[in-house]
């Protein structure tokens, strides 16, 4: 009796999984019938562009900065006077 119940549960699970997959594929097919492919491609390209810009920002933000003593110490904070001959 217990093996028969397990077999029926197994068959019912396979039945539900098969029809769930068919329903999912049908829903995707209906979506692509009603939404133009160019619109989908545009949204996908914009999303990829945003992800790449975010990744570039993270990469640039995590770079270490040069220590001030390696570029001349405190010379960068001194005001620079520009005379008429340098213009």
């Amino acid at each position: 009796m217990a093996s028969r119940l397990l077999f029926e549960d197994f068959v019912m699970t396979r039945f539900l999984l098969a029809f769930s997959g068919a329903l999912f594929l049908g829903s995707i097919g209906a979506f692509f019938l009603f939404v133009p492919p160019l619109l989908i491609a545009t949204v996908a390209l914009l999303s990829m562009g945003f992800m790449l810009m975010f990744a570039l920002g993270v990469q640039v933000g995590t770079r270490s900065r040069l220590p001030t003593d390696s570029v001349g110490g405190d010379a960068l904070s001194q005001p620079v006077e520009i005379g008429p001959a340098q213009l």
Side-chain angles (χ1 to χ4, degrees), residues 6-87:
L6 288 175
F7 179 73
E8 289 176 0
D9 286 343
F10 178 71
V11 170
M12 184 59 71
T13 303
R14 283 180 48 189
F15 179 76
L16 287 174
L17 283 174
F19 278 104
S20 296
L23 181 65
F24 181 70
L25 289 176
S27 299
I28 290 175
F31 175 77
F32 283 119
L33 282 176
F34 287 111
V35 178
L38 184 61
L39 180 63
I40 296 169
T42 303
V43 170
L45 285 174
L46 283 173
S47 298
M48 285 182 8
F50 289 141
M51 288 186 282
L52 288 173
M53 286 175 59
F54 181 77
L56 179 65
V58 169
Q59 181 182 9
V60 168
T62 56
R63 285 188 180 169
S64 61
R65 296 180 183 210
L66 292 174
T68 55
D69 57 350
S70 68
V71 289
D74 202 31
L76 292 177
S77 63
Q78 300 296 325
V80 177
E81 294 183 21
I82 299 176
Q86 295 174 340
L87 291 175

